[in-house]
Amino acid sequence: MKTRMTLLASTAAAVLFAAAPAQAASNWYVSVFGGANWADDNTVSVATSTTSSADTLSWATDPDTGFIVGGAIGMSFGHMVSGLRGEVEVAYRQSKLDGIWTTNVGTPTNVSSGTIDADHSTFSVMANVWYDFDLGGVSPYIGGGIGWAETEIDGQLVGDPVGDGPFDFSDNGFAWQLGAGINFDISPNVKLGVGYRYFEGPDVTINSLHPLNSAVADIDNTNHTALVNLTFGM
C-alpha cells in the first residue's frame, strides 16, 4: 500500500513539473507546493461485549510534524467573475505517528499494552475554487475544495507479545479542505506564495491485532498545513 501511494504521488508530481514550462496558454496556470503538515492527536477507546466476552481497544496517538508535497493545474475564470479560478490539485501528506495502545481480550480481564510506532499518510485529489483579491503585485486569496483521498496508517505495535506486531490499516473516500494565502508577483506570469490549509480526509478503521479481539475504532484524519507555492502563468 505504501509503495502504491508513493508511486501515485511521484507520478502526479512529475506530470505537474513537466507541465509547468508549457502552461503559457492564456487562462491556464500550473502550481507546485510543499510545506509542513500537522495531523491532530487522536484518543479512541471502544468496547464490544457478548455474553461470554468483553473486548476493548484503546489508542492514543501524538503525530510529529510532517510534510506535504503536491501541485495543481488550474484556470482563471476572470472573464466571467473577476478573481475567480478553479483547479485540480494532487497532494501527498505524511507524518510520523507515536502513541500508546491497550487491548483487553475476553473475560476475565486479559490486558495487553505497549507503544505505537507508525507513519500516517494521505494521497488526495481535490477540485478547488479560489477567489483572488488583486492588490497590484500582491494577491490574497480564500477558498476551498472537495475530492477523494486515500489514507494509510502502517507501522508496529510494540509491547506485550500477546497483542503487538506489524499492521497496515487504510481507507479511502471523501475529503474536503478550506484555505487562504497570499501570492506575490516575482516576475511576469510567475508568483511566489504562502498559504494555510485545513484538510479533512477519510477516517481509518483500526482493530486489535489479537485474533480473538473483535473491537474496532476509527482514527480521525484532520490536518493543518502551512505551505509555500510557486505558480506559473497566473
Side-chain angles (χ1 to χ4, degrees), residues 16 62 77 97 195:
L16 288 163
D62 179 21
F77 299 116
L97 196 67

Side-chain angles (χ1 to χ4, degrees), residues 156-222:
Q156 180 87 16
L157 298 182
V158 182
D160 189 319
V162 175
D164 72 358
F167 63 85
D168 189 341
F169 304 122
S170 64
D171 279 295
N172 65 81
F174 179 74
W176 63 276
Q177 66 178 351
L178 297 174
I182 185 167
N183 287 309
F184 304 89
D185 292 342
I186 59 173
S187 69
N189 294 322
V190 181
K191 294 181 183 290
L192 178 67
V194 294
Y196 165 80
R197 303 287 186 270
Y198 175 87
F199 175 89
E200 285 202 11
D203 296 346
V204 177
T205 300
I206 63 169
N207 58 65
S208 170
L209 300 186
H210 195 291
L212 300 180
N213 189 316
S214 59
V216 297
D218 288 335
I219 299 295
D220 294 338
N221 186 11
T222 301

Side-chain angles (χ1 to χ4, degrees), residues 94-173:
Q94 183 174 313
S95 300
K96 184 71 175 177
L97 196 67
D98 301 314
I100 57 175
W101 63 275
T102 303
T103 64
N104 173 57
V105 181
T107 303
T109 300
N110 181 9
V111 176
S112 300
S113 63
T115 59
I116 301 167
D117 181 15
D119 290 322
H120 183 283
S121 55
T122 299
F123 174 76
S124 59
V125 180
M126 308 293 290
N128 301 321
V129 175
W130 306 110
Y131 186 84
D132 296 309
F133 302 88
D134 188 358
L135 304 182
V138 178
S139 303
Y141 67 88
I142 58 172
I146 59 174
W148 170 92
E150 182 170 22
T151 299
E152 180 181 19
I153 302 176
D154 70 305
Q156 180 87 16
L157 298 182
V158 182
D160 189 319
V162 175
D164 72 358
F167 63 85
D168 189 341
F169 304 122
S170 64
D171 279 295
N172 65 81

Side-chain angles (χ1 to χ4, degrees), residues 7 50 56 59 67 75 140:
L7 287 172
T50 66
T56 65
W59 272 36
F67 68 88
M75 173 182 282

